Every structure is written in C-alpha cells, then in structure tokens.
Amino acid sequence: MILAFQLVSFTYIWITLIPNVCAASHIRMTHQRCSSSMKQIWNSKQETRMKKDDSTKVRPQKYEQPLHIEDNDFAMRPGFGGSPVPVGIDVHVESIDSISETNMDFTMTFYLRHYWKDERLSFPSTANKSMTFDHRLIRKIWVPDIFFVHSKRSFIHDTTMENIMLRVHPDGNVLLSLRITVSAMCFMDFSRFPLDTQNCSLELESYAYNEDDLMLYWKHGNKSLNTEEHMSLSQFFIEDFSASSGLAFYSSTGWYNRLFINFVLRRHIFFFVLQTYFPAILMVMLSWVSFWIDRRAVPARVSLGITTVLTMSTIITAVSASMPQVSYLKAVDVYLWVSSFFVFLSVIEYAAVNYLTTVEERKQFKKTGKISRMYNIDVVQAMAFDGCYHDSEIDMDQTSLSLNSEDFMRRKSIRSPSTDSTRIKRRKSLGGHVGRIILENNHVIDTYSRILFPVVYLLFNLFYWGVYV
C-alpha cells in the first residue's frame, strides 16, 4: 500500500515538473541567441558609424616642398668657383633719429633690400607666382653678409616678429628686405660751428666676400636711395641725399665693393642766435655803459665791469660743455672770445682813466693847491670812497663820517640850522647841472671810448658774419 502511494506521488511530480524545466531551458537558450544577435547588430552599427566618421573627417594635405633646400649645400655662395654673384641694393630711409655732436655720430632707421639670383631656389610654377617667407627660412639658405662700416650699434626690429621678408621667384631671383636701425660715426668739422654744414655717410660692405666673389652695386643707380617726404630734424636742415659706390682695400684680404649713403646737414642758426650770440652782444653793450658813468664812481664802474666779465665766462663755459673737446677754434669761440676781450677792455679802460685822473689831479694840486674849480682834495677823497659827488665842503661833513667818525660827530653837534638850509639850497641849485658837470669833467679816454668801442665792435660783426655766413 505504501509502495503504491510512493509510485503515484513520484509519477505526479514527474508529470508536473518536467514541462517547466523544458520551458526554462528553452527560454534560456532563446535569450542567449537574442543577446548574441543584439551584439552582432551593435557591432555592425559601430562599424558603420566609424566608417561614416572616417569618410567625413578632413585630413591635412601634404604639400610638396618646391624649393628642395635639403638637396643643396647653401653654405656656398651661388655659382661658387665662377664669376662673382651680383647683389643689388636699394635703401628707403625712414628717419634720421638723432645727431650727436658730442659723440660725433648719427642714428638712422631705414629699409635695406637685397636682390640676387640663386638658381638652387628656382621652382616650377605654372602661374609664375613668387613665394614669400619670414625670418625662419633665412637660416637655411645663403644670404649676402652685408655690414655697416664705422657702425657703433645696429639691430633689426623685432616687433611683433623680426622685420625680415624673403621673396623667391620661380626663376631663382631673391628679394631680402630688412628694417634696421644703425648708429654710425660721422666725422664732423666744427671749425665753422654753429654756422657749419656737415657731410655724413653710411657705408655698406660685404664682410667675407671680396670683389672676386660678390659684386655689390646700387640696384637702380641714383634712384636706389629714397627718403620720406616730410623728414626733418630739430637742429639741422637736410639739404641732400645721394648714393655712391667705391672700393675698399684691406692688405690681408684684398679689395671689396663699398656703397655709400651720403647726406648733407645744414645747421639751423636761430637757436644759437638766441642762446649765445644775442646774450654776448648784450653783455658787450652793457660794458659800454661804464663810459657814461662818472669817472670818480669807482664802485659803480668796477662792479659793472666785473659783472659783464663773469657773465661772458659763464656763456663760454655753457657752450663748451655741449661740444666735443676739439683742439681747434670754432666760429662760436672766435665770437665769444672777441666779445669777452671787448668787455675786458672796458674794465682796463676804466683802470687807465682812474690812474690818469689821479696823476693829473696830483699835478694840478701841486701847482695851484686846487684840483679843479669844482673839486677840492676832500671831494676827491669822498668820491673815491663812496662813488658820489659832493657839492661843497659843507656837504663833505656828512661823507667824512667814513673817514673820521669822531670828527663828523663833533661837526654835526655844532652845525647850525642855517648851515643845513644853505646846504640844501646849494644842492638843489647844483642838481640841475649834474649832467653838465659830468660831461665837463669826463676824461678824454672816456670820450673817445664812447665812439671807438661801438664802431670797432660793429666792424668786427660785419667781418665775422661776412666770413662765416
């Protein structure tokens, strides 16, 4: 009975579970097949997308280098071993930045252009168009080695990149353009300064190649040198620009072609007239005022003479400080030293007048006991002391304080009011005749100096400006 029940139960379980297991295995197999098919579809889509991306992606084109720089040795000049390579030059002057008399140099900015032919750079071109490059190609090819003779400083402008342009034509013709600033020496002659005209030049030459290897010439003759239309300087007027050529010989290396950029500078004179010549003329004329001052006014005439001499020394020092220390006389030195000599003579003139006046008065005093009808010895002493004219012995009492203060105080204590009123009246009566008295008592040297000094100085000016201008 029990065995029969177990058989029935096992049969029931078998019938119930077997279909479910088959269904599950069938589902598992179906899922595996679906997942594999989905992977195949995904992979195919990815391959399709990648193919589309590859077809739409822009690939850089590889241009063929037409110059074939690597195939040639550019350490050698074009046509090495044959005739010299011709190199044409033209220059466009942008500005003359400064002229220095102290350093005897000038600074110039210009465009320097080289023209030559190098068949190693030729390339085929159906349109016959040239190719333009910047400074990076310069280091790979041969270029002329031009330098500036007597230059102190020079540089190629590099804002924003180096100002270098290289243009190559299909037939091998090459143009190299540079923007350069150069400071070079100018051998100046200051013998006529500031009425001078200076001739300066900038010289171009090949450093390594002599005339057997390189022939340097102006590309367009005299038209190879051009300048800006409105180019000016503060102290100079540019009279002329010209181009010339020549040869330079070096004992160790031979002959070299040399090109010259010549320019003529004429100095503006108006600045120096205001700063140098006009003040010198005023000082000389001021020294002549001494001839019209009374010969007994020693402090006035001496101080005026010393002042003008010192002022002339200051002007000469200021001019010399701004000039090179040359060993010859300049035109401005001639004028200033002659003017200083006139000022110095005015001081010497008064020394002579004062001495001769003293000698004359001593002789007259020995003869008559009086100096003149207007002067006595006390008046002479007083004028020599304070530089003022005193009209009488009564007026001398006030001045004698400087000579004898005790005597002056004693006289002042006993002076009466009537004496003071008499002195005032006599002073008023004499005041209107001061000019006549001065003229009558002038020394003969002063009289002649008033005419002789201006006339001689005027003749000197006519001669000076006639020679130097």
Side-chain angles (χ1 to χ4, degrees):
M1 188 68 180
I2 295 172
L3 181 62
F5 178 78
Q6 291 177 347
L7 290 173
V8 172
S9 300
F10 179 77
T11 303
Y12 177 78
I13 293 170
W14 175 262
I15 294 172
T16 304
L17 294 178
I18 288 301
N20 293 333
V21 171
C22 292
S25 63
H26 178 72
I27 291 171
R28 188 180 296 109
M29 293 177 63
T30 304
H31 181 267
Q32 289 178 354
R33 286 195 299 266
C34 289
S35 62
S36 62
S37 63
M38 288 296 291
K39 288 181 179 179
Q40 291 177 356
I41 294 172
W42 174 258
N43 291 334
S44 64
K45 287 183 178 180
Q46 287 293 104
E47 291 177 357
T48 304
R49 188 179 295 119
M50 290 177 65
K51 289 180 180 179
K52 288 183 179 180
D53 292 341
D54 291 340
S55 63
T56 57
K57 186 177 180 180
V58 179
R59 297 180 179 179
Q61 298 181 1
K62 294 183 179 180
Y63 293 100
E64 183 180 358
Q65 176 59 258
L67 296 181
H68 304 289
I69 296 176
E70 292 78 8
D71 299 338
N72 296 281
D73 183 12
F74 284 96
M76 311 300 291
R77 68 171 180 85
F80 178 76
S83 59
V85 54
V87 177
I89 298 291
D90 74 47
V91 172
H92 181 85
V93 179
E94 181 179 344
S95 64
I96 298 179
D97 303 321
S98 63
I99 306 290
S100 175
E101 293 88 358
T102 306
N103 299 323
M104 296 182 71
D105 61 13
F106 65 91
T107 303
M108 179 188 294
T109 300
F110 58 92
Y111 299 91
L112 177 62
R113 303 184 182 98
H114 312 68
Y115 302 85
W116 75 95
K117 185 174 183 179
D118 193 344
E119 295 182 354
R120 295 171 295 183
L121 297 176
S122 61
F123 60 92
S125 175
T126 56
N128 197 27
K129 290 185 177 180
S130 62
M131 292 189 299
T132 303
F133 305 92
D134 58 12
H135 66 281
R136 286 170 287 190
L137 187 63
I138 300 297
R139 300 179 180 88
K140 299 180 181 180
I141 65 173
W142 181 90
V143 294
D145 58 338
I146 304 300
F147 81 104
F148 304 99
V149 185
H150 306 307
S151 65
K152 297 181 177 180
R153 297 170 299 276
S154 62
F155 63 91
I156 299 175
H157 291 258
D158 56 0
T159 306
T160 56
M161 295 287 289
E162 289 190 31
N163 297 170
I164 300 176
M165 187 270 291
L166 182 71
R167 181 170 295 167
V168 182
H169 295 270
D171 58 354
N173 285 309
V174 183
L175 165 63
L176 173 62
S177 178
L178 313 170
R179 184 169 179 256
I180 305 176
T181 294
V182 178
S183 296
M185 292 183 61
C186 179
F187 300 98
M188 301 181 182
D189 180 16
F190 296 108
S191 59
R192 301 177 65 88
F193 177 88
L195 307 168
D196 56 334
T197 299
Q198 300 296 340
N199 297 290
C200 299
S201 64
L202 182 64
E203 304 173 9
L204 293 78
E205 183 181 310
S206 172
Y207 189 82
Y209 300 100
N210 58 23
E211 63 174 354
D212 296 329
D213 293 318
L214 188 144
M215 183 181 67
L216 203 62
Y217 68 99
W218 289 110
K219 177 67 174 177
H220 307 291
N222 293 330
K223 296 182 180 179
S224 301
L225 182 60
N226 301 301
T227 61
E228 294 288 339
E229 294 183 359
H230 305 288
M231 188 168 58
S232 61
L233 296 171
S234 59
Q235 290 192 25
F236 292 91
F237 173 74
I238 303 175
E239 289 191 338
D240 183 41
F241 261 103
S242 62
S244 61
S245 59
L247 291 173
F249 177 75
Y250 299 92
S251 59
S252 58
T253 54
W255 293 90
Y256 291 77
N257 294 113
R258 182 177 292 185
L259 303 182
F260 300 87
I261 302 174
N262 307 307
F263 54 97
V264 181
L265 304 173
R266 180 167 55 85
R267 195 182 304 274
H268 296 301
I269 186 60
F270 187 70
F271 171 81
F272 296 94
V273 170
L274 293 180
Q275 298 294 324
T276 304
Y277 287 96
F278 190 65
I281 293 174
L282 288 182
M283 288 301 104
V284 174
M285 296 178 66
L286 184 62
S287 68
W288 299 341
V289 177
S290 173
F291 306 148
W292 299 87
I293 299 177
D294 191 276
R295 55 179 171 170
R296 289 297 178 184
V298 178
R301 296 190 66 163
V302 171
S303 60
L304 180 60
I306 296 301
T307 301
T308 53
V309 169
L310 293 178
T311 305
M312 287 301 304
S313 300
T314 303
I315 295 174
I316 293 174
T317 303
V319 172
S320 300
S322 61
M323 293 297 299
Q325 306 301 317
V326 294
S327 58
Y328 52 84
L329 278 177
K330 303 180 289 292
V332 67
D333 293 336
V334 174
Y335 194 90
L336 292 180
W337 281 106
V338 171
S339 299
S340 299
F341 183 68
F342 272 88
V343 173
F344 179 74
L345 284 181
S346 67
V347 179
I348 299 301
E349 183 270 348
Y350 177 64
V353 168
N354 186 271
Y355 175 76
L356 295 177
T357 300
T358 304
V359 172
E360 179 183 350
E361 289 176 347
R362 286 178 179 175
K363 291 180 179 180
Q364 187 174 2
F365 178 74
K366 290 179 181 180
K367 292 181 180 180
T368 62
K370 295 182 179 180
I371 300 300
S372 65
R373 64 184 179 90
M374 295 301 301
Y375 295 122
N376 58 25
I377 189 65
D378 293 332
V379 176
V380 173
Q381 292 176 353
M383 290 191 68
F385 181 80
D386 62 4
C388 301
Y389 174 74
H390 301 269
D391 59 340
S392 65
E393 292 181 358
I394 298 175
D395 194 24
M396 280 298 301
D397 293 340
Q398 187 175 5
T399 307
S400 60
L401 173 62
S402 303
L403 300 176
N404 192 343
S405 58
E406 295 181 357
D407 184 61
F408 170 73
M409 295 299 295
R410 181 179 55 81
R411 292 187 182 185
K412 185 176 181 180
S413 62
I414 62 174
R415 182 181 298 170
S416 62
S418 60
T419 304
D420 294 337
S421 62
T422 304
R423 180 179 58 82
I424 294 172
K425 291 181 180 180
R426 296 182 65 179
R427 180 177 294 178
K428 289 182 179 179
S429 64
L430 187 62
H433 304 284
V434 170
R436 179 179 58 82
I437 294 172
I438 293 176
L439 291 176
E440 289 179 356
N441 289 276
N442 275 328
H443 198 277
V444 65
I445 297 179
D446 279 342
T447 304
Y448 284 110
S449 297
R450 295 169 186 172
I451 301 174
L452 186 62
F453 272 70
V455 170
V456 175
Y457 193 67
L458 179 61
L459 292 176
F460 162 72
N461 275 272
L462 294 175
F463 176 78
Y464 177 87
W465 297 106
V467 170
Y468 287 104
V469 175

